[in-house]
Structure formats: structure tokens, C-alpha cells
Amino acid sequence: VQLQASGGGLVQAGDSLRLSCAASGRTISTWSMSWFRQAPGKEREFVAVSPYGRGHLYYSDSVKGRFTISRDNAKNTVYLEMNSLKPEDTAVYYCAAREGRPILSAQRSQTQYSSWGQGTQVTVSS
């Protein structure tokens, strides 16, 4: 599956932003969809995942309660709604996907995802 992320931009602290990740080539209905981010000088880190076949969403502690991952299988698109943005949320955000679902203990690892989008920049000013 090919992924195209969009929706990034420059916002102020406290603002909201919604990222989109459009998939093509395969239907995402049987895929696990996730978001990762990479801040300057830092390693890529897990943000959120919507695992196929699990009735639960998972978030990193740093975004829990502020970010929401959702998917629209009919539109073959996954979203990341980001509220109460902080300067430390500044990063390039990547969507990633894998067919089926990873084992629960590994679903926050980027090694579990075979398809990656190109990334979209989110900058939060203080």
C-alpha cells in the first residue's frame, strides 16, 4: 500500500490540527494503521496506532488525551486529530501501515510496519 500524509503546518501552542494519510493500492480495512513522528535530532517515535482486529486504540503517553487516531475505511484514509498542541509536538509526522496486526507487545515498534508515507511537518510555536 502507498501512503500519502498531509495536513501539517505551522500553528501556535494550544491550537489544533488534523493530519490525513491517504492510502492507495490496497484497502486498509485489514491493515493496522499508525502514526510516528521524528523531531529534529531525535529518533523516530511512536504516536498512535489503530490495529486491525482490535477494538482498542493505543497512544504514547506524551499524546494520550490530546491526540485521536481514527480511520475511514471507505475513504481508505487514516487521520490524526491533534488538540492542545505543544511546542514539543513539533516534528515530521509519518503514517505507517502493515497488513494484519502486529503482536500486542510490538505494535509501538516501527519495525512492525512495512509501508511508510513521506511525512508531513508540524511546527508548534510557543
Side-chain angles (χ1 to χ4, degrees):
V1 68
Q2 291 76 49
L3 304 173
Q4 179 75 35
S6 62
L10 172 63
V11 296
Q12 293 186 332
D15 285 351
S16 299
L17 206 56
R18 188 177 80 158
L19 305 183
S20 300
C21 177
S24 60
R26 299 284 297 276
T27 176
I28 65 170
S29 59
T30 58
W31 286 60
S32 295
M33 305 299 295
S34 64
W35 288 94
F36 288 77
R37 67 185 183 185
Q38 187 167 20
K42 295 187 177 181
E43 294 186 353
R44 191 176 299 183
E45 65 173 2
F46 167 80
V47 174
V49 62
S50 171
Y52 164 69
R54 291 200 178 107
H56 198 73
L57 306 172
Y58 299 85
Y59 299 91
S60 68
D61 289 343
S62 61
V63 308
K64 193 177 299 181
R66 299 187 298 120
F67 290 13
T68 303
I69 186 172
S70 63
R71 65 165 74 198
D72 186 334
N73 289 337
K75 294 183 178 180
N76 231 31
T77 301
V78 63
Y79 304 97
L80 185 69
E81 185 74 38
M82 305 185 294
N83 298 315
S84 302
L85 282 162
K86 304 175 181 179
E88 50 263 45
D89 295 319
T90 295
V92 177
Y93 283 72
Y94 299 89
C95 57
R98 64 161 287 154
E99 193 165 15
R101 62 177 180 264
I103 58 174
L104 187 60
S105 61
Q107 65 182 359
R108 298 168 186 249
S109 171
Q110 56 184 309
T111 63
Q112 296 297 307
Y113 301 92
S114 55
S115 298
W116 289 81
Q118 85 291 358
T120 185
Q121 176 71 47
V122 173
T123 303
V124 185
S125 64
S126 57

